[in-house]
């Protein structure tokens, strides 16, 4: 039995070249996307400073404790030996309470003001206010309050940074960043 003649499936050289070019266009990323990888990497590196601040904030209490013990603060009555070990321990531990509150509130905050907004307008200013209050503190209450604020900023950024990095990274770099 002989099949009826139909359209030919053979491609001439020009058609084959144009088909190959159109297939490669779909596979190869445009030049503009390659440039965006650099921007995405820089954005991820900038956002990852939140992790650096977290580590620095937690580690800062260790070298500061010997200076706090036995120190007499202005406007605060301390015992004869100055700030007690309990007050110094509270100062170093209270950042974790602030971080827990900041992380719990951070999810809602990220949904309401966005990832970038949470980092720029909430966590960043909390860092500045908390470190300024720590540097200018005249007593243990101010130090403890500053540590709670610092913990809240750290907690909020620990929620916002991973989401921001994941959402701004190109698909090819998501796992790497």
């Amino acid at each position: 039995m002989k099949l009826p003649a139909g359209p030919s499936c053979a491609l001439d050289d020009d058609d084959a070249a144009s088909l190959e070019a159109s297939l490669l266009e779909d596979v190869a990323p445009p030049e503009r996307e390659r440039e965006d990888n650099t921007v995405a990497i820089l954005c991820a590196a900038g956002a990852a400073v939140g992790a650096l601040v977290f580590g620095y904030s937690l580690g800062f209490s260790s070298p500061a404790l010997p200076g706090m013990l036995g120190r007499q603060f202005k406007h605060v009555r301390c015992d004869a030996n100055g700030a007690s070990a309990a007050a110094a321990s509270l100062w170093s531990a209270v950042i974790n309470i602030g971080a827990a509150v900041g992380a719990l509130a951070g999810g809602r905050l990220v949904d309401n003001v966005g990832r970038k907004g949470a980092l720029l307008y909430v966590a960043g200013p909390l860092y500045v206010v908390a470190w300024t209050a720590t540097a200018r503190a005249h007593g243990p209450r101010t130090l403890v309050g500053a540590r709670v604020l610092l913990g809240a900023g750290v907690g909020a950024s620990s929620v916002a940074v991973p989401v921001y990095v994941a959402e701004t990274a190109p698909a090819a770099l998501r796992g790497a960043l």
Side-chain angles (χ1 to χ4, degrees), residues 12-175:
D12 62 359
D13 290 338
D14 291 335
D15 289 339
S18 67
L19 179 62
E20 183 180 0
S22 69
L23 289 174
L24 287 177
E25 248 178 41
D26 294 339
V27 174
E31 190 64 31
R32 193 181 93 240
E33 285 186 23
R34 288 188 196 133
E35 291 173 11
D36 288 345
N37 288 346
T38 303
V39 172
I41 291 170
L42 290 174
C43 286
V49 170
L52 180 70
V53 172
F54 198 169
Y56 182 76
S57 300
L58 288 174
F60 175 73
S61 59
S62 179
L65 286 176
M68 287 179 64
L69 293 174
R71 178 168 177 212
Q72 296 289 334
F73 291 97
K74 293 183 200 174
H75 314 296
V76 176
R77 286 181 31 190
C78 298
D79 60 11
N81 297 324
S84 67
S89 296
L90 174 67
W91 177 76
S92 36
V94 77
I95 191 170
N96 295 315
I97 296 168
V101 170
L104 290 173
R108 175 114 13 198
L109 177 71
V110 164
D111 287 340
N112 290 338
V113 299
R115 288 82 177 130
K116 188 175 179 181
L119 292 173
L120 289 177
Y121 305 122
V122 178
L126 279 175
Y127 292 151
V128 172
V129 169
W131 282 111
T132 303
T134 300
R136 301 185 51 81
H138 292 292
R141 289 184 186 143
T142 308
L143 285 172
V144 169
R147 291 288 279 189
V148 170
L149 284 177
L150 184 60
V154 163
S157 68
S158 68
V159 171
V161 166
V163 178
Y164 177 74
V165 171
E167 289 181 353
T168 58
L173 294 177
R174 278 202 188 121

